[in-house]
Amino acid sequence: MISAFDLFKIGIGPSSSHTVGPMVAARRFKKALDSRAVRVRVELFGSLAWTGKGHGSDTAICLGILDEDPATVDPNKIAGAIAAINTAKSFWIDGGHQIAFDPGKDLIFDFVELLPGHSNGMRFRALAADGSVLMENVYYSIGGGFISEEGAVAPDPKSVPYPFSSSVELLEMCAKADLSISDLQLANEIVLRPPEDVECGLDRIRDAMFDCIDRGLHGHGVLPGKLKVKRRARIILEQLEARELSNQKSPHEIMDWISVYAIAVNEENAAGGRVVTAPTNGAAGIVPAVLRYYRDFCEGYSDERARIYLLSATAIGSLIKRNASVSGAEVGCQGEVGSAAAMAAAGLAAGLGASPEQIENAAEIAMEHHLGMTCDPIGGLVQIPCIERNAFGANKAIAAASLALKGDGTHHVSLDAVVETMRQTGADMQSTYKETSLGGLAVNVAEC
């Protein structure tokens, strides 16, 4: 059972796997320390090493060690916190015990070794006064802010009324129980938390998505990093508003609105602002942009319909995460933008009254036409081509939902087949195209 509150996490940018995951891991390790430790050392491997600087992994590790949580950390106070730990070269644990940690020396990017569990590996060590290792934990950031700990025993999953591990099972259960996909997902959700908490939680996710769009639409200046990418969302918004005032409309204007919604989110993400992982940060603009399109341009939108959208998207996202991956470091950008587009297409189709079969078809269409997409961020920054890819992913999601709604749900290629194809494609993809910035645009375009 993968919950909506697993796939949609309120956190900060620029990356769920490279920022949110490492922060969670560092915070977990810090909480396990005791007064015998005098120093902590951290090593980052694989994709975390190759693109960690551009994705803020070093900052995330420091924040986690300072006991900051991705959902509550104040983005405006991050710079001060990092400056403080770089000056003090230490942090405190409960009981008033100080532990040495110099980010410049004790945070190591290993570009050679690759840990066996995942390309996003982290090793934390607590050292005694004589230099011996008191405690060693290995974590993997497996995409979407999820982490796994090497050697940890997974908790027994709670029994839910409608367990499904494939789209075939999902559709069979919907038909047998005479439930929509959103109702089935909701029935599973309320096993984990009270119905009113589910409703309030979904509304909070929706509001955080819309707030992120609004902040991004009014942001200005240059995004962090050596690329010096200028924010565009505000400029595009002003052009769209001016065109409305002059009563001039082009046939593709709605596409421009969808694009600017997605761009606004991912510019906020690139700036390290508050975003909702959906299902990753690199693809965080797609689900919110399509939901905003639903609110602003479609008939029948309501708070309840927004919940239907998010619950339906969750059911599809859980299938993809369970049977393939949402990690760009593991399967390329098809696992991030492709997954988000499939989730958004399913959510929109559901909100517009689609049958379970049409919803599954919408997700399949969206995912199918992102197969093979590589993850090759220039300079290791979640900016080029990531921001524009969200705009295209959002528009593709809407096209997929529209196509599915024109049919009766029957189609030749199943969502299960497409997800398995995505998994196989990711396995065959060279590591240079999986969030390492060692291939593709990252090496064929000058950084500055």
Side-chain angles (χ1 to χ4, degrees):
M1 164 62 179
I2 297 176
S3 167
F5 306 104
D6 294 324
L7 286 178
F8 299 119
K9 301 185 186 76
I10 299 174
I12 60 167
S15 172
S16 52
S17 59
H18 288 61
T19 312
V20 177
M23 193 187 307
V24 172
R27 187 167 186 252
R28 183 179 296 182
F29 183 77
K30 184 261 180 85
K31 287 183 177 297
L33 291 172
D34 62 41
S35 58
R36 293 177 301 161
V38 301
R39 178 174 292 276
V40 162
R41 289 209 173 115
V42 184
E43 298 166 276
L44 304 181
F45 303 90
S47 178
L48 285 179
W50 286 107
T51 63
K53 288 284 186 181
H55 286 69
S57 299
D58 46 355
T59 295
I61 294 291
C62 292
L63 289 172
I65 280 176
L66 292 173
D67 208 30
E68 294 286 1
D69 183 90
T72 57
V73 62
D74 184 347
N76 297 318
K77 296 181 179 179
I78 289 175
I82 299 305
I85 196 171
N86 275 304
T87 299
K89 296 179 173 50
S90 64
F91 62 94
W92 297 85
I93 63 172
D94 293 342
H97 183 69
Q98 190 174 26
I99 295 180
F101 177 71
D102 181 353
K105 296 179 180 179
D106 295 321
L107 182 51
I108 301 160
F109 291 80
D110 189 322
F111 301 102
V112 178
E113 186 179 356
L114 187 66
L115 298 184
H118 192 279
S119 56
N120 287 333
M122 297 165 275
R123 181 188 292 138
F124 291 76
R125 286 181 171 139
L127 306 180
D130 62 0
S132 62
V133 178
L134 287 172
M135 175 181 171
E136 177 177 302
N137 288 17
V138 172
Y139 302 94
Y140 296 102
S141 183
I142 57 176
F146 290 87
I147 63 167
S148 64
E149 183 176 350
E150 192 170 83
V153 178
D156 291 333
K158 286 193 175 182
S159 178
V160 295
Y162 302 106
F164 58 90
S165 58
S166 69
S167 64
V168 170
E169 290 180 357
L170 176 61
L171 294 178
E172 287 176 348
M173 287 183 179
C174 286
K176 185 176 181 180
D178 193 24
L179 291 173
S180 66
I181 287 177
S182 61
D183 284 340
L184 186 145
Q185 181 68 34
L186 178 60
N188 288 343
E189 296 282 352
I190 61 178
V191 171
L192 305 179
R193 49 184 59 85
E196 59 272 19
D197 288 357
V198 174
E199 182 176 307
C200 291
L202 292 172
D203 291 348
R204 190 159 47 248
I205 289 168
R206 176 207 62 209
D207 291 344
M209 288 179 172
F210 287 167
D211 287 346
C212 184
I213 290 174
D214 291 334
R215 287 195 307 275
L217 288 175
H218 295 92
H220 57 86
V222 177
L223 296 174
K226 55 190 172 183
L227 297 181
K228 305 300 180 186
V229 173
K230 292 181 179 179
R231 284 183 180 250
R232 289 183 293 169
R234 183 176 179 176
I235 295 170
I236 297 172
L237 174 67
E238 290 172 351
Q239 292 172 345
L240 288 168
E241 290 177 337
R243 203 155 58 195
E244 283 188 341
L245 290 173
S246 65
N247 205 27
Q248 295 178 355
K249 289 192 175 183
S250 63
H252 58 268
E253 185 171 298
I254 291 180
M255 294 176 63
D256 292 337
W257 280 104
I258 298 160
S259 295
V260 78
Y261 294 153
I263 289 170
V265 171
N266 283 84
E267 287 180 348
E268 276 295 290
N269 179 63
R274 177 77 60 214
V275 298
V276 178
T277 300
T280 66
N281 282 29
I286 296 170
V287 172
V290 175
L291 182 57
R292 184 68 162 251
Y293 158 79
Y294 179 32
R295 189 197 78 174
D296 291 354
F297 294 98
C298 300
E299 293 183 1
Y301 174 87
S302 65
D303 290 348
E304 178 58 29
R305 285 277 158 184
R307 295 177 202 123
I308 289 171
Y309 175 101
L310 292 171
L311 289 166
S312 302
T314 297
I316 297 304
S318 69
L319 287 174
I320 298 171
K321 178 164 179 55
R322 178 188 298 274
N323 296 313
S325 175
V326 297
S327 169
E330 191 171 15
V331 294
C333 200
Q334 60 175 356
E336 296 202 34
V337 168
S339 297
M343 292 166 64
L348 180 60
L352 295 175
S355 68
E357 291 76 16
Q358 289 172 316
I359 293 168
E360 185 261 355
N361 190 17
E364 177 274 319
I365 294 170
M367 174 57 79
E368 181 179 347
H369 299 292
H370 284 92
L371 289 174
M373 182 179 283
T374 60
C375 187
D376 50 355
I378 297 175
L381 298 166
V382 192
Q383 297 177 15
I384 304 173
C386 319
I387 294 172
E388 286 182 352
R389 279 185 180 170
N390 277 259
F392 277 81
N395 277 284
K396 279 186 176 182
I398 294 168
S402 180
L403 282 173
L405 285 163
K406 298 294 189 296
D408 62 3
T410 58
H411 51 287
H412 288 284
V413 181
S414 70
L415 176 61
D416 291 335
V418 172
V419 171
E420 173 58 17
T421 302
M422 189 265 277
R423 187 196 66 78
Q424 293 174 1
T425 302
D428 291 340
M429 193 180 288
Q430 295 181 22
S431 62
T432 51
Y433 298 107
K434 293 192 282 191
E435 211 166 359
T436 56
S437 290
L438 296 175
L441 287 174
V443 299
N444 288 306
V445 177
E447 293 183 11
C448 59

